[in-house]
């Protein structure tokens, strides 16, 4: 009888118990969603701030290791916002770490700040028109990421203060990313040792995130220095030992060796020192190589091959050589769990609404640069990127080849040290060459401004997930330990003796900084950088405008034919 009464009680009150439990489970989620909406509104309210940071960094146009104005501007801004700023980290004068809050989780939020040589370009102009001829410029768009991060973090910081949410936010810059010159040093020197999760932002053509192996290469950046003996090049050349000959022979040797390297390798070089003048046998010369491959062991093997060829060149010319590692990066591997959370937020945010002017600039630029497709700016979200297939794609000499690699990014070294994702946001024009003046066309225009704001919304929402859902970080670490690093362990490509090459680009910036200073953005006087430069948005030639019109007419005609055939 007692069991019967207990059973009856359970049946009568079970729905109420379950409803109460469900109500408890829903509460945190409903609170989180409300906070996310507030964060999005706070980002939107800071649109002007995002635009000003974006345009200011664009106007500085500073190469890697020489980001002095960017350093002063960003650290001053963050100190005013209440962040504790540690300057000159890892022995790099333009590097810093800004923290706010206390306790766990500790979340790192980073983005690059350097630009590209000879990429100076007026924003909003759909053809080559440099601000300063020959000067550096933001031909990748690194001026935009810190604007995104700061606006997103300030929105979350405001909510953390009000709601008394525990946690620490850590903002940091990717200094000299184009040289892959710093992030491995950050990791080596322990700056990410206690970080629980990292969100990195990088300019792109869509609002997107991916996970796993992204299919790109890692690399080691090495400068080979040869030393010979000077002599009068005409009077007594037999007394000379040409370091330049050694450099040229090394390059010849490497180019012959390419035939016998794996198809996944990418390697390239520049002669950074070829001597002083023709009538003096060069006693010193240098060549700078990037050795890229798909795995850590293959990168090391490629580098070792380079050293052997340098040794051979030195023997042939009776010179000596040394080498200096200037930077390194592993192949990127990002976190599946964090990517899924970020993508849920991306779907809620969606893409910006592009104006006719935005699309005209994009299409005109694509036509000018002969892009593979002339489709304008993205109007549909990408799906969440999946990892590169580990299945062989080609069989060569009995060896299974992995998918071909491409570029490199030293965020990889952080991604192999803790759970990390890369959030891409739509501030650049699709189909442009990359590392090129054309990629600067959109980067201080409404296209960049809108992309930054929408990226900041997605990032702010994801930061709240990490702060308020402990299981998210726990699961992210489980993926990192049980899947990503189960069979592959991170080993730095730099040794304890290497130091950041902070001397790089000094001469170039010394030449161009006085010329660029005249064009630094002044937000106190001008609404945006376009206004300061007196640029009508968009600036498009008549022939470009006509070409865009023809392209649009063609698309309309094709769409009409497709619609007609379907209706039949």
């Amino acid at each position: 009888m007692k069991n019967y009464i207990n059973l009856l009680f359970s049946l009568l009150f079970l729905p109420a118990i379950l409803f109460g439990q469900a109500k408890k489970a829903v509460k945190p989620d409903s609170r989180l969603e409300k906070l996310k909406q507030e964060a999005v509104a706070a980002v939107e309210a800071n649109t002007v701030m995002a635009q000003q940071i974006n345009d200011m960094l664009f106007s500085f146009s500073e190469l890697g290791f020489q980001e002095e104005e960017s350093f002063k501007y960003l650290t001053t801004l963050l100190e005013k916002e209440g962040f504790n700023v540690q300057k000159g980290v890892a022995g790099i004068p333009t590097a810093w770490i800004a923290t706010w809050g206390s306790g766990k989780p500790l979340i790192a939020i980073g983005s690059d700040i350097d630009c590209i040589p000879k990429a100076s370009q007026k924003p909003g102009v759909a053809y080559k028109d440099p601000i300063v001829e020959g000067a550096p410029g933001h031909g990748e768009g690194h001026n935009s990421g810190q604007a995104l991060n700061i606006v997103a973090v300030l929105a979350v910081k405001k909510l953390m203060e009000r709601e008394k949410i525990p946690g620490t936010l850590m903002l940091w810059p990717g200094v000299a990313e184009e040289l892959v010159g710093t992030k491995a040093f950050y990791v080596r020197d322990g700056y990410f040792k206690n970080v629980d999760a990292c969100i990195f932002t990088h300019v792109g053509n869509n609002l997107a995130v991916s996970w796993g192996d992204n299919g790109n290469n890692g690399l080691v950046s090495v400068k080979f220095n040869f030393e010979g003996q000077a002599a009068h090049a005409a009077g007594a050349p037999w007394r000379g030992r040409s370091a330049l000959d050694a450099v040229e022979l090394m390059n010849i040797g490497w180019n012959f060796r390419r035939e016998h390297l794996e198809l996944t390798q990418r390697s390239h070089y520049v002669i950074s020192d070829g001597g002083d003048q023709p009538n003096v046998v060069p006693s010193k010369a240098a060549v700078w190589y990037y050795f890229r491959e798909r795995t850590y062991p293959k990168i090391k093997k490629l580098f070792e091959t380079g050293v052997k060829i340098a040794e051979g060149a030195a023997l042939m010319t009776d010179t000596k050589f040394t080498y200096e590692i200037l930077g390194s990066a592993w192949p990127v591997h990002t976190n599946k769990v964090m990517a899924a959370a970020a993508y849920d937020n991306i779907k809620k945010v969606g893409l910006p609404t592009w104006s006719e002017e935005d699309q005209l600039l994009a299409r005109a630029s694509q036509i000018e640069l002969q892009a593979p497709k002339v489709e304008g700016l993205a109007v549909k979200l990408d799906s969440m990127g999946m990892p590169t297939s580990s299945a062989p794609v080609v069989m060569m000499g009995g060896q299974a080849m992995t998918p071909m690699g491409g570029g490199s990014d030293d965020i990889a070294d952080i991604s192999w040290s803790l759970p990390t994702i890369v959030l891409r946001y739509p501030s650049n024009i699709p189909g442009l060459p990359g590392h090129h003046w054309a990629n600067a066309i959109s980067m201080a225009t409404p296209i960049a401004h809108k992309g930054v704001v929408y990226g900041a919304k997605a990032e702010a929402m994801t930061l709240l997930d990490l702060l308020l859902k402990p299981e998210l970080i726990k699961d992210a670490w489980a993926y990192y330990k049980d899947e990503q690093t189960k069979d592959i362990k991170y080993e730095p490509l730099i040794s304890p003796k290497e130091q950041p090459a902070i001397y790089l680009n000094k001469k170039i910036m010394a030449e161009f900084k006085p010329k660029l200073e005249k064009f630094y953005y002044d937000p106190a006087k001008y609404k945006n950088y376009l206004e300061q430069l007196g640029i009508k948005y968009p600036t498009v030639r008549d022939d470009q405008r006509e070409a865009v019109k023809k392209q649009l007419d063609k698309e309309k005609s094709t769409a009409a034919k497709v619609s007609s055939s379907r209706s039949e």
Side-chain angles (χ1 to χ4, degrees):
M1 185 67 179
K2 185 178 179 181
N3 290 339
Y4 174 77
I5 292 170
N6 287 339
L7 178 62
L8 183 63
F9 179 84
S10 298
L11 290 171
L12 287 170
F13 290 97
L14 183 60
I17 293 167
L18 291 174
F19 177 76
Q21 289 175 343
K23 199 172 180 182
K24 285 179 184 177
V26 169
K27 264 189 176 180
D29 288 339
S30 61
R31 178 197 179 213
L32 178 56
E33 289 307 311
K34 183 176 181 296
L35 291 174
K36 284 184 179 183
Q37 291 170 15
E38 289 190 58
V40 166
V43 168
E44 194 72 41
N46 263 338
T47 295
V48 172
M49 182 186 199
Q51 170 261 310
Q52 289 181 348
I53 298 171
N54 178 88
D55 289 7
M56 187 69 79
L57 297 184
F58 183 93
S59 73
F60 292 150
S61 298
E62 294 176 304
L63 292 171
F65 288 119
Q66 309 307 320
E67 308 98 335
E68 296 170 356
E69 297 300 324
S70 301
F71 168 83
K72 286 187 284 187
Y73 173 71
L74 292 170
T75 56
T76 299
L77 187 158
L78 290 167
E79 284 172 338
K80 286 180 180 177
E81 293 292 343
F83 283 77
N84 177 41
V85 181
Q86 183 181 358
K87 300 175 183 179
V89 301
I92 304 160
T94 55
W96 46 268
I97 287 176
T99 54
W100 178 89
S102 61
K104 291 282 194 173
L106 171 54
I107 305 169
I109 306 103
S111 198
D112 300 321
I113 57 174
D114 59 329
C115 72
I116 302 287
K118 296 182 175 64
S120 179
Q121 172 65 20
K122 291 177 182 174
V125 179
Y127 48 85
K128 188 175 183 181
D129 190 6
I131 297 171
V132 174
E133 183 66 49
H138 274 287
E140 180 157 341
H142 287 175
N143 60 295
S144 55
Q146 289 295 332
L148 187 162
N149 288 349
I150 290 170
V151 169
V153 165
L154 290 180
V156 173
K157 172 179 176 283
K158 183 179 178 182
L159 294 173
M160 290 174 72
E161 288 173 318
R162 191 190 73 196
E163 300 290 319
K164 295 182 172 50
I165 299 171
T168 305
L169 303 175
M170 170 182 152
L171 282 158
W172 59 277
V175 168
E177 187 276 336
E178 299 301 344
L179 306 171
V180 287
T182 58
K183 297 187 187 81
F185 291 100
Y186 294 166
V187 172
R188 186 194 70 181
D189 295 348
Y191 291 101
F192 284 81
K193 189 175 182 182
N194 297 313
V195 176
D196 295 295
C198 177
I199 299 178
F200 191 75
T201 57
H202 197 284
V203 65
N205 306 322
N206 208 313
L207 188 54
V209 70
S210 60
W211 64 276
D213 180 349
N214 72 354
N216 280 356
N217 285 317
L219 70 76
V220 60
S221 165
V222 190
K223 186 170 75 165
F224 293 90
N225 300 296
F226 290 87
E227 186 172 353
Q229 183 174 315
H232 194 301
W238 54 87
R239 297 183 66 176
R241 298 293 179 266
S242 174
L244 178 58
D245 286 353
V247 163
E248 291 185 301
L249 283 167
M250 179 180 180
N251 294 341
I252 291 168
W254 185 261
N255 287 326
F256 272 96
R257 186 62 180 264
R258 284 181 197 274
E259 182 184 356
H260 309 290
L261 297 173
E262 293 191 31
L263 300 181
T264 46
Q265 74 87 26
R266 302 276 175 95
S267 53
H268 18 266
Y269 57 82
V270 294
I271 297 174
S272 52
D273 180 5
D276 298 308
Q277 57 191 60
N279 65 334
V280 180
V281 174
S283 61
K284 292 186 178 181
V287 61
W288 183 6
Y289 271 79
Y290 275 15
F291 299 111
R292 303 187 198 248
E293 254 290 6
R294 289 287 290 116
T295 66
Y296 170 79
K298 288 184 177 183
I299 297 166
K300 284 194 71 177
K301 184 179 178 183
L302 203 64
F303 169 42
E304 288 163 1
T305 302
V307 172
K308 286 181 181 178
I309 290 175
E311 184 179 1
L315 285 170
M316 284 188 285
T317 54
D318 195 16
T319 59
K320 298 176 181 178
F321 85 98
T322 58
Y323 63 81
E324 176 186 2
I325 294 178
L326 302 181
S328 68
W330 267 54
V332 175
H333 188 118
T334 46
N335 193 270
K336 180 179 180 180
V337 176
M338 288 174 60
Y343 190 66
D344 283 344
N345 293 318
I346 285 171
K347 288 187 289 185
K348 292 171 185 174
V349 171
L351 285 169
T353 300
W354 308 114
S355 69
E356 289 184 14
E357 291 79 9
D358 297 334
Q359 290 288 16
L360 174 59
L361 178 67
R363 286 175 177 269
S365 301
Q366 289 167 341
I367 289 168
E368 183 77 6
L369 276 297
Q370 300 179 348
K373 294 180 180 179
V374 181
E375 296 179 338
L377 302 167
V379 293
K380 183 181 178 182
L381 284 174
D382 285 339
S383 58
M384 185 170 74
M386 303 295 284
T388 302
S389 171
S390 60
V393 294
V394 107
M395 291 294 289
M396 188 72 69
Q399 182 177 5
M401 300 299 297
T402 55
M404 298 299 176
S408 311
D409 193 327
D410 54 356
I411 187 58
D413 290 70
I414 293 171
S415 78
W416 281 96
S417 304
L418 67 140
T420 302
I421 57 169
V422 177
L423 175 69
R424 295 188 175 268
Y425 51 95
S427 289
N428 220 320
I429 296 170
L432 301 188
H435 290 186
H436 192 272
W437 60 263
N439 290 75
I441 287 173
S442 66
M443 291 314 305
T445 73
I447 295 172
H449 304 152
K450 292 172 188 176
V452 163
V453 168
Y454 274 67
K457 292 175 182 178
E459 180 172 73
M461 294 167 78
T462 307
L463 285 171
L464 287 170
D465 283 330
L466 292 167
L467 288 165
L468 294 171
K469 296 167 70 175
E471 70 276 11
L472 180 58
I473 290 178
K474 182 181 177 183
D475 292 346
W477 275 97
Y479 172 84
Y480 171 80
K481 291 176 180 177
D482 300 338
E483 295 187 48
Q484 179 184 346
T485 60
K486 182 181 179 182
D487 300 314
I488 301 173
K489 304 301 178 186
Y490 174 74
E491 296 179 54
L493 281 157
I494 55 170
S495 71
K497 71 177 183 179
E498 262 88 42
Q499 296 301 316
I502 59 175
Y503 62 88
L504 291 174
N505 293 321
K506 271 192 175 181
K507 287 183 180 179
I508 300 174
M509 288 310 299
E511 177 186 354
F512 285 106
K513 187 172 181 178
K515 300 174 184 178
L516 289 164
E517 283 175 339
K518 302 170 186 176
F519 299 97
Y520 286 175
Y521 175 45
D522 185 353
K525 291 184 179 178
Y526 301 98
K527 184 179 178 182
N528 54 50
Y529 198 43
L530 290 172
E531 182 182 304
Q532 179 169 327
L533 295 176
I535 295 171
K536 181 184 176 184
Y537 181 76
T539 296
V540 176
R541 294 193 311 263
D542 289 343
D543 63 297
Q544 291 176 309
R545 197 178 293 271
E546 184 61 29
V548 170
K549 184 178 181 301
K550 286 181 181 178
Q551 178 71 25
L552 290 171
D553 289 344
K554 182 180 177 182
E555 289 176 15
K556 287 177 184 176
S557 175
T558 302
K561 287 178 183 177
V562 170
S563 177
S564 175
S565 65
R566 284 176 179 171
S567 62
E568 290 172 3

